[in-house]
Amino acid sequence: MVYPLGALAVPLWWWRRGRRAWAGRTFPWGADLLVTLPWLSDLTGNRLNFFDTVTWWDDVSHFAHWALLTAGVLLAWAPGRRTGPGVVVMVGLGFGATAAVLWELGEYAAFLRTLPTYQLVYPDTLGDLTLGTSGSLLAGLLVAAWRRARRPVRE
């Protein structure tokens, strides 16, 4: 249920509010792709059982998925172009850290608390939170740098 909603976040937002708020601009395809890729990748990893058979998959997923998701969110929803790079980084970090915590709470509610080795999950959760937050920080830095590079030079 969460995957389709995550993949539809940008189109639903655009349909509901974005068209009026961004009159004259085209649909944010890049942001939509960045927001959708983590959901597709996680679904594929689950379907192919990578989380249980590829030892590094979970760690790379948490870092990369939050980097992609945060970059997409920043491109679609972040404050206007006049916002300084520090604010963009902080918004990305705040979004990513909050979303990572919510994701881990969802994992706990869905299946972690029912595992027989449930007490061993705590270090994995801390690692996942660290990787997700780090990916979000990287995304914030990259989007801020990208916006700065696209800003016209004033003479």
Side-chain angles (χ1 to χ4, degrees):
M1 178 69 166
V2 173
Y3 290 178
L5 292 176
L8 287 171
V10 174
L12 288 174
W13 168 80
W14 182 260
W15 177 77
R16 174 72 175 106
R17 185 173 186 283
R19 293 176 297 156
R20 289 187 304 276
W22 288 25
R25 295 188 190 174
T26 61
F27 181 79
W29 292 105
D32 186 39
L33 178 66
L34 290 168
V35 168
T36 302
L37 279 176
W39 302 104
L40 177 63
S41 173
D42 196 72
L43 183 65
T44 304
N46 278 317
R47 183 68 182 111
L48 298 175
N49 200 29
F50 286 171
F51 287 95
D52 292 328
T53 60
V54 180
T55 56
W56 49 265
W57 183 259
D58 184 58
D59 290 342
V60 169
S61 292
H62 278 277
F63 182 83
H65 291 166
W66 291 119
L68 292 168
L69 184 63
T70 301
V73 165
L74 287 173
L75 292 176
W77 288 286
R81 297 195 187 277
R82 294 182 185 179
T83 304
V87 173
V88 172
V89 172
M90 293 306 291
V91 167
L93 190 56
F95 165 80
T98 302
V101 168
L102 293 173
W103 183 264
E104 290 301 315
L105 289 172
E107 278 188 354
Y108 175 78
F111 59 87
L112 292 179
R113 63 188 168 93
T114 63
L115 293 175
T117 57
Y118 143 71
Q119 293 82 4
L120 303 175
V121 175
Y122 184 67
D124 179 64
T125 299
L126 289 178
D128 291 349
L129 290 170
T130 301
L131 289 165
T133 303
S134 299
S136 296
L137 175 60
L138 176 64
L141 292 168
L142 291 175
V143 169
W146 178 75
R147 282 186 170 189
R148 177 174 265 173
R150 290 190 53 188
R151 190 175 297 152
V153 178
R154 295 183 184 163
E155 295 181 21

